[in-house]
Amino acid sequence: EASRRSQFSAVVAGVPSNVVWQGIDQSDWTKVKSSWSQGGQPLAFVPYAPSTEFKGIRDIYDRSMRAEGEEGDAAIPVERINGDILLVSAGQDGLWDSTGMSRRIVARLGANNFAHRVEHLDYPTAGHGVVGGPVTLEQAQQLTQVGGTPEGNYAARQEVWTRVLAFFDRTLRH
């Protein structure tokens, strides 16, 4: 949204994607369409690569990811964002490669001489549930369903919310 509307002056992207992905229509799995639209028109997207064997959600995204620079119109135009950006990724993300996609976002911003500050926090032993407030050790264990170790999820969640609040305090205070 922030890449398409200039009124946003600060963005936190938790376990982000650098591209628009194919949508999932649970009422009809054969429908292939975008997960996002603008003005009622579907945005270009990366389709899921076909497979004869389901090996998990992460495998679908890994197989479907195009080589860097080959995302075409499905790439999110992050360079249009009108403010500072904080990316939060997880090295053991069980859904998709949020660390790799965050690095692609940073590279795209650099290639387009992005004028604002960009910060990328990567938590190598955390999973897709990395963003949010502090959790108990029991909750951190539950978060392993979407990747990471209990210890990694716990440590990341103890820190990340404070870092997000500090980012907004720094960027939005004028």
Side-chain angles (χ1 to χ4, degrees), residues 2-167:
S3 67
R4 299 177 189 284
R5 295 181 181 227
S6 63
Q7 68 262 39
F8 293 96
S9 59
V11 173
V12 173
V15 291
S17 174
N18 65 312
V19 297
V20 174
W21 287 99
Q22 175 180 328
I24 299 172
D25 185 339
Q26 294 183 358
S27 66
D28 183 354
W29 293 96
T30 63
K31 286 185 183 175
V32 176
K33 60 183 183 177
S34 183
S35 57
W36 297 98
S37 64
Q38 183 176 20
Q41 297 301 310
L43 297 177
F45 63 94
V46 174
Y48 299 129
S51 175
T52 57
E53 182 181 353
F54 180 74
K55 296 179 184 176
I57 298 295
R58 173 69 189 251
D59 179 62
I60 292 170
Y61 286 104
D62 286 349
R63 282 185 297 99
S64 304
M65 179 58 74
R66 296 179 177 164
E68 190 167 357
E70 294 183 9
E71 299 99 344
D73 291 340
I76 298 170
V78 292
E79 66 277 6
R80 294 183 191 163
I81 294 173
N82 188 35
D84 292 353
I85 301 172
L86 173 64
L87 304 168
V88 181
S89 64
Q92 293 182 16
D93 193 322
L95 179 64
W96 58 28
D97 183 11
S98 61
T99 296
M101 290 191 283
S102 292
R103 289 179 180 148
R104 288 178 176 205
I105 290 169
V106 170
R108 182 179 177 109
L109 292 169
N112 285 280
N113 300 311
F114 189 66
H116 304 279
R117 184 175 176 187
V118 179
E119 186 177 356
H120 176 200
L121 303 177
D122 183 45
Y123 294 90
T125 58
H128 198 74
V130 68
V131 177
V135 295
T136 65
L137 286 170
E138 183 179 330
Q139 291 167 325
Q141 172 66 43
Q142 293 170 353
L143 288 173
T144 62
Q145 294 175 28
V146 287
T149 66
E151 300 79 16
N153 289 327
Y154 179 80
R157 290 289 291 263
Q158 299 311 107
E159 177 183 298
V160 75
W161 196 244
T162 302
R163 300 282 300 266
V164 167
L165 293 176
F167 169 80

